[in-house]
Amino acid sequence: MRKLLYILGAVLLLAGAAFGILAWRGSSSLARYTNTNIHMGAVSTAAADALCPQTGHPRLVCLANGLQHGMSPELRAQLRRPYSAADARRWSNFPPVGYPDRVGPTLGDFTPAQLGFVKAMPATAAGLAKNEGYDELEQILNADDYLKANTTDNAGFSSGNFHIAFLGTPAERGTWELYFGGHHTAVANTYRDGRLIGATPSFRGVEPFTPFTMNGRTNAPMAQERDAFAAMLTGLTPAQQREAKLDMIFTDVVVGPQRDDNFPTTREGVRVGSLDLHRQQLVLAAIDRYVMDISQPDAAAILRRYQAELGDTYVAFSGAPGMNAENDYVRIDGPSVWIEFSMQPGRSIPGIHPHSVWRDRRSDYGGNG
Amino acid sequence: MAATADVQRRALLRAGLYVIPLLASARVLAHPMPDTEIVVGRDATTVALDIRLPFHDLLLASPPGLPRDARTLLAGNQPSLRSYFAAHTRLLGPADRPVPVTIGTIRLHQDHGADVGAYAELEVRAVARVDAHVRIRLAYDAILHRIANHRALVRDHRGRPIGTIRYSLASRRASPLALPNGPSS
C-alpha cells in the first residue's frame, strides 16, 4: 500500500510537471522558434512560379501540393491540420513569448526551396499591390527582423518565427483556411469549394511605425492606412467630428485576438449615409486599404459589398483625428465591415506603433467562427 | 520511525497534488499585462481579491491632476486611490445586496516582460467578510469605466479561470461576475 502511494505520488508529480511544461509552452508544443532573420524579399519563388503558373485558388492548391512534396511527415503533420474553428481562432498580435499557441510550423522550419513555395502562398492570397497585400506583410516581417537586430528584447522577434498552416486540405472541394501569422500579423483566408468565403480576421500592426531600413529596403507598411484614416477624419466638418467622437479611451482594438464575440450591438459615431459623396469616398478609400490585402478579383467583390452597405456604416474615433498620437483610435462599423486602428506607445523602441484589425461581422472565419 | 515515514508519504502526496495545478497555471500566472488580473481567494468567512493592474492604464482612467510618477502617486495619494478602488470594486450578495469591501495597502510592482517591455503594476488587496456558502457577484470596473478595451481576467487562487469582466459597448457597463462559493460550502 505504501509503495503504491509512493508510485501514485511520483506519477502525479511527473504528470503535473509535463502538463505544466506543455501549458507553459502552449499546445503548439511542436512549434520551434529559431529566432532567425530570413529576409523574405530575397527568397526566390521561381520554382513555385514554374510549377504553378495558374492564378487564384487553383494556384494556391498547386503551391500547397508543391510545398508538401518530399516534406518530412513530421513537418507535414504540423503544416496540415484538420479544419476546426478552435484552431482558426488561435492567432494573436503578440510575439511568440506573449502568445505561444499559434498553429503550424514556423518559417525557420523550412528549407530555402520550400520557403519559395511558402512565400508564394500569401503572395497569391493577399495580392501584390504596393504597400498592401503581400508587400505589406513582407515589410511587417522586416520590422520583426529590425527588432531582432536592434533591440535586446527576448520576445521572439524575427521573420523566422512566423507561422504558416493549412486548416483542412487545400483542394478544389471542401473547406480549408490558409493561416499565416506571427507578431503583429494574422492572415486567415477561408475557402470552400475553391471560393474565398472569408478574408478575416485580418490583423496588422508594425513597430517601428516610422519608416525604417531593413533587408535592403525602406519599410513603412501601415503609413497608407494611417494616412487614409487621417484624411477621412480631418475631412469631416467640426459638427460631424463631434458626432463621430467617442467618449471612452481606447488603448487597443476592441475585437482583437481571442475577443471574437466583442462586437458592440449598437453602432456609434457618424453615419456615413449622412455624409456628402466626397466624404463617403474618403471612408471607402480607408476601407480599400484593408480590402486590398486580398488578391483580385475577390477584393473588388468585397469592396462592392461594403460600398453597397456604406449608407448604414458608421465612423467613430477617440483621441485626435490625425491618428498620430498614443491612444488615437478609429473604427469603421458597418452591417458587414468592421475595421479598427489603434495607435499605441512603442513597446520595444521609443515612439508609437499601430495595431489594426479588419473583421467581417458576417464572414469572419468563413462564417464558421 | 513508521510515523515519520507516514508523514513523509503524506507530504509527498500533498506535494504531488499541489504541484499539478501550480505547474499547469505557470503561464497564466505570469504578468496580466495589458489586462487587469484579479485572483479570488475564499475561506469560511472571508473573500480576498488580489488585483494587479497596469499603472499606465490607471493613469489614463483616473481623474486628471494626479502625479504621473508611480512612486510619487503611491506615496502621497493612498487614501484617494483607496477611495477610487472602493468605488469601482463592489461585491453583491443575494438580491444584489452590497457587501462591504475594505481596500488594503496599494503597492507598486515594476518589472520587464519580454512581450510588453518595461511595465509598472499596482497591486491592490480587497477583502470582505462573507460566509463561504453565500453566493456573491463581483462588480468591478476600475479602468474599464474609461478604457473600453480593458479587461479584468478573474481567476481562483490556483490560477483557474473564473471569467472575464469587460466593458460592454452595447450596455455601457461592465456586467458583474458570479464568484464560486468558498471551500467549505
Side-chain angles (χ1 to χ4, degrees):
Chain A
M1 184 62 186
R2 183 181 299 173
K3 193 176 280 182
L4 187 65
L5 285 170
Y6 274 121
I7 291 170
L8 182 63
V11 166
L12 285 170
L13 262 174
L14 286 171
F19 186 66
I21 290 165
L22 282 175
W24 181 79
R25 291 193 61 193
S27 48
S28 60
S29 55
L30 293 173
R32 192 167 59 88
Y33 290 112
T34 55
N35 301 319
T36 51
N37 287 356
I38 284 183
H39 188 179
M40 284 299 281
V43 171
S44 171
T45 61
D49 296 339
L51 183 70
C52 305
Q54 311 93 319
T55 59
H57 189 262
R59 175 172 159 88
L60 282 178
V61 173
C62 176
L63 291 168
N65 292 331
L67 172 61
Q68 293 175 82
H69 183 72
M71 181 180 281
S72 73
E74 294 79 16
L75 187 57
R76 187 182 296 121
Q78 289 185 63
L79 177 68
R80 205 175 69 196
R81 305 165 66 96
Y83 181 84
S84 78
D87 274 353
R89 293 191 198 100
R90 289 167 58 178
W91 58 275
S92 178
N93 56 281
F94 280 118
V97 168
Y99 185 80
D101 293 342
R102 292 179 175 89
V103 294
T106 62
L107 302 191
D109 290 326
F110 295 101
T111 65
Q114 290 170 331
L115 273 178
F117 285 83
V118 169
K119 176 180 176 178
M121 293 199 73
T124 301
L128 299 170
K130 185 171 169 56
N131 288 325
E132 306 293 353
Y134 174 76
D135 191 38
E136 181 179 276
L137 289 172
E138 187 175 293
Q139 293 181 59
I140 293 171
L141 267 66
N142 287 344
D144 243 43
D145 287 350
Y146 181 92
L147 293 178
K148 168 73 178 165
N150 293 285
T151 71
T152 55
D153 272 1
N154 194 23
F157 299 133
S158 75
S159 52
N161 290 349
F162 280 60
H163 294 248
I164 186 170
F166 308 150
L167 306 183
T169 303
E172 285 305 309
R173 294 283 167 213
T175 300
W176 72 285
E177 180 194 293
L178 171 63
Y179 168 72
F180 183 81
H183 181 211
H184 282 150
T185 305
V187 172
N189 278 19
T190 308
Y191 300 89
R192 182 184 298 145
D193 297 339
R195 205 167 51 85
L196 182 72
I197 58 168
T200 57
S202 179
F203 189 98
R204 303 288 188 279
V206 69
E207 185 176 14
F209 176 61
T210 50
F212 62 96
T213 301
M214 189 69 204
N215 291 336
R217 64 178 292 184
T218 301
N219 303 272
M222 297 188 67
Q224 296 189 131
E225 284 73 9
R226 192 275 308 275
D227 292 348
F229 285 125
M232 177 184 81
L233 292 173
T234 56
L236 297 175
T237 66
Q240 289 164 344
Q241 284 189 357
R242 279 194 295 277
E243 196 175 347
K245 191 80 184 276
L246 299 164
D247 57 5
M248 297 282 285
I249 298 169
F250 294 80
T251 59
D252 205 340
V253 298
V254 173
V255 196
Q258 286 77 60
R259 301 186 186 199
D260 296 309
D261 59 346
N262 214 22
F263 291 105
T265 51
T266 53
R267 300 200 167 85
E268 297 177 288
V270 62
R271 195 171 67 86
V272 179
S274 71
L275 306 179
D276 63 25
L277 191 60
H278 170 68
R279 293 185 173 90
Q280 289 190 13
Q281 288 303 314
L282 290 175
V283 178
L284 200 61
I287 294 173
D288 194 41
R289 297 277 70 80
Y290 290 81
V291 174
M292 284 296 285
D293 293 336
I294 295 297
S295 60
Q296 298 293 1
D298 291 316
I302 294 168
L303 193 64
R304 277 196 300 274
R305 183 158 57 90
Y306 292 165
Q307 189 167 13
E309 297 174 344
L310 207 55
D312 290 325
T313 298
Y314 287 73
V315 167
F317 77 103
S318 178
M323 290 296 119
N324 211 15
E326 199 176 314
N327 303 326
D328 285 350
Y329 168 87
V330 61
R331 174 199 309 165
I332 297 175
D333 182 9
S336 300
V337 68
W338 171 275
I339 295 171
E340 293 178 277
F341 182 95
S342 160
M343 195 61 92
Q344 313 186 6
R347 300 291 182 202
S348 301
I349 50 179
I352 50 174
H353 85 285
H355 283 185
S356 189
V357 70
W358 166 30
R359 284 180 177 264
D360 190 299
R361 287 171 176 269
R362 292 175 172 155
S363 67
D364 261 9
Y365 306 106
N368 299 312
Chain B
M1 195 66 185
T4 306
D6 191 51
V7 167
Q8 286 173 343
R9 187 174 67 240
R10 285 168 193 272
L12 180 62
L13 263 175
R14 270 201 304 273
L17 290 168
Y18 285 133
V19 158
I20 292 171
L22 280 175
L23 287 176
S25 62
R27 187 159 66 90
V28 298
L29 288 178
H31 68 85
M33 298 283 285
D35 295 309
T36 288
E37 181 182 73
I38 302 175
V39 175
V40 180
R42 288 191 78 170
D43 63 21
T45 56
T46 60
V47 57
L49 307 172
D50 286 306
I51 306 165
R52 299 166 63 196
L53 54 125
F55 176 72
H56 179 264
D57 284 18
L58 177 70
L59 279 187
L60 288 173
S62 57
L66 288 175
R68 302 282 98 181
D69 174 69
R71 293 191 189 284
T72 310
L73 174 67
L74 257 73
N77 296 276
Q78 284 277 342
S80 57
L81 281 173
R82 275 202 291 275
S83 296
Y84 172 81
F85 284 106
H88 293 283
T89 309
R90 293 176 300 124
L91 286 174
L92 306 172
D96 283 351
R97 211 171 44 247
V99 176
V101 175
T102 303
I103 305 293
T105 303
I106 299 167
R107 285 192 288 269
L108 176 68
H109 173 73
Q110 290 177 299
D111 208 336
H112 183 277
D115 48 339
V116 294
Y119 65 91
E121 287 178 343
L122 291 192
E123 297 175 344
V124 183
R125 173 159 257 238
V127 180
R129 291 191 67 81
V130 190
D131 285 345
H133 68 275
V134 175
R135 292 190 182 280
I136 52 173
R137 295 192 302 154
L138 172 60
Y140 179 90
D141 69 348
I143 299 180
L144 286 75
H145 67 104
R146 283 292 291 140
I147 301 181
N149 55 289
H150 197 87
R151 302 182 301 182
L153 312 176
V154 185
R155 312 183 192 284
D156 70 12
H157 68 289
R158 292 185 173 176
R160 295 174 301 202
I162 295 173
T164 300
I165 300 175
R166 58 166 65 122
Y167 182 85
S168 165
L169 291 176
S171 65
R172 293 192 155 269
R173 63 191 284 264
S175 296
L177 178 72
L179 301 182
N181 284 7
S184 59
S185 63

